[in-house]
Amino acid sequence: MIARPLRFASFLAPDLLPVYRLVARHVGERLGLLTDLFVGDDYAQLADADVSFVCGLAYVELAGPGGLPLEAIAAPVLEGERYGGMPIYFSDVIVRRDSPFRCFADLRGRSWSYNEPRSHSGYGVTRHHLVRLGETNGYFGRVVEAGWHQRSIRLVATGEVDASAIDSQVLALAVRARPELSERLRIIDALGPSTIQPVVAGTWLSPALRADVQGVLLEMGEQTGLRAQMARGMIERFVKVEDGSYDDLRRMRAECAAAGLLTLR
């Protein structure tokens, strides 16, 4: 065990923060440890957290040999038939409901918003989709970095941007919180599925402590009271993942690199 608080960090969408506060608190209670959680605004802060909730693309780009000493230990399974009981998610391509766009091909030369370049759901999977289509740089007429999925949703809903790819979990939570969005937005495509964002632990923690944290996460879905709280984030349970679980993201990134398309600009 450690003498200081176990530090958690979230680098994911703000709408998910209440669930990850719950996770941090529950892990501390189960293991008899003090815990704290901070919101990361720079991936360098991954080195400051013992356990992080982070995008899969950031994990595969920053962790591993020569990178940050991080280990993927668990990932959420989302509620709904769409996810098939697997730790996966989609990127839903949204446009305004009253726009003329009906499919991805209609977006050539149009404006596009993404959250940030180490986001698989908003950036990595989009560039891979373009590679699969045989496209190169310049497909979109204008590309806007929004910072968060929620801002991309707002930019599309207000007509400031034509389209964006939004993490399907984040989009569902946004629509649940603001039902009027379903009347203002339309999904014209779904990219993926991709392996969902991991919970990662620093390998400076002892193997025993990493295993204990993982064990608590895997048990959370079995407890009725916790499941009701996790459902606020559409999370059914956590399952075990490992580094190789994110080889799909590595493959997509490698295909983009081979095609010379690592940027949407």
Side-chain angles (χ1 to χ4, degrees), residues 12-260:
L12 300 179
D15 286 356
L16 300 173
L17 192 58
V19 173
Y20 290 128
R21 283 200 182 104
L22 165 71
V23 172
R25 183 172 65 249
H26 181 69
V27 169
E29 291 171 352
R30 286 281 286 109
L31 298 184
L33 294 172
L34 293 175
T35 60
D36 59 42
L37 181 145
F38 67 89
V39 175
D41 56 15
D42 186 319
Y43 285 118
Q45 294 172 305
L46 282 165
D48 300 326
D50 299 306
V51 181
S52 296
F53 312 102
V54 66
C55 182
L57 183 59
Y59 169 70
V60 303
E61 289 188 345
L62 298 174
L68 294 170
L70 303 173
E71 174 190 22
I73 60 172
V77 172
L78 301 181
E79 296 178 332
E81 294 183 8
R82 184 181 194 185
Y83 304 101
M86 302 290 290
I88 60 172
Y89 72 128
F90 296 84
S91 295
D92 290 329
V93 179
I94 60 169
V95 298
R96 276 182 63 93
R97 182 166 292 278
D98 60 1
S99 77
F101 313 120
R102 294 293 179 266
C103 63
F104 195 91
D106 292 338
L107 301 177
R108 182 186 297 277
R110 310 305 302 193
S111 55
W112 180 267
S113 175
Y114 67 92
N115 49 344
E116 56 98 2
R118 280 208 162 104
S119 165
H120 178 71
S121 58
Y123 200 86
V125 76
T126 303
R127 69 188 178 194
H128 183 255
H129 186 63
L130 292 174
V131 167
R132 289 182 61 193
L133 294 175
E135 298 292 346
T136 57
N137 290 317
Y139 184 83
F140 300 114
R142 179 168 63 98
V143 178
V144 176
E145 181 173 350
W148 297 103
H149 277 305
Q150 286 87 346
R151 182 162 182 256
S152 285
I153 293 171
R154 185 168 66 252
L155 289 173
V156 175
T158 58
E160 296 173 70
V161 169
D162 291 316
S164 183
I166 306 296
D167 177 317
S168 58
Q169 179 187 18
V170 175
L171 181 60
L173 291 175
V175 171
R176 186 169 72 184
R178 296 179 56 201
E180 70 274 11
L181 285 174
S182 63
E183 299 176 359
R184 299 175 66 184
L185 300 173
R186 185 162 38 84
I187 297 173
I188 61 169
D189 205 344
L191 311 182
S194 305
T195 306
I196 200 167
Q197 302 94 340
V199 183
V200 302
T203 58
W204 54 85
L205 299 178
S206 70
L209 181 52
R210 297 200 304 271
D212 285 345
V213 172
Q214 182 185 63
V216 173
L217 291 171
L218 302 188
E219 293 172 355
M220 289 185 70
E222 300 173 3
Q223 302 177 46
T224 303
L226 289 176
R227 286 190 67 169
Q229 297 179 70
M230 289 161 60
R232 297 174 185 171
M234 280 183 58
I235 296 174
E236 181 179 288
R237 66 185 186 279
F238 288 92
V239 295
K240 181 179 179 180
V241 294
E242 54 192 23
D243 186 70
S245 303
Y246 294 87
D247 284 348
D248 61 329
L249 275 63
R250 292 188 177 93
R251 173 184 54 78
M252 286 186 246
R253 190 185 189 285
E255 291 176 9
C256 291

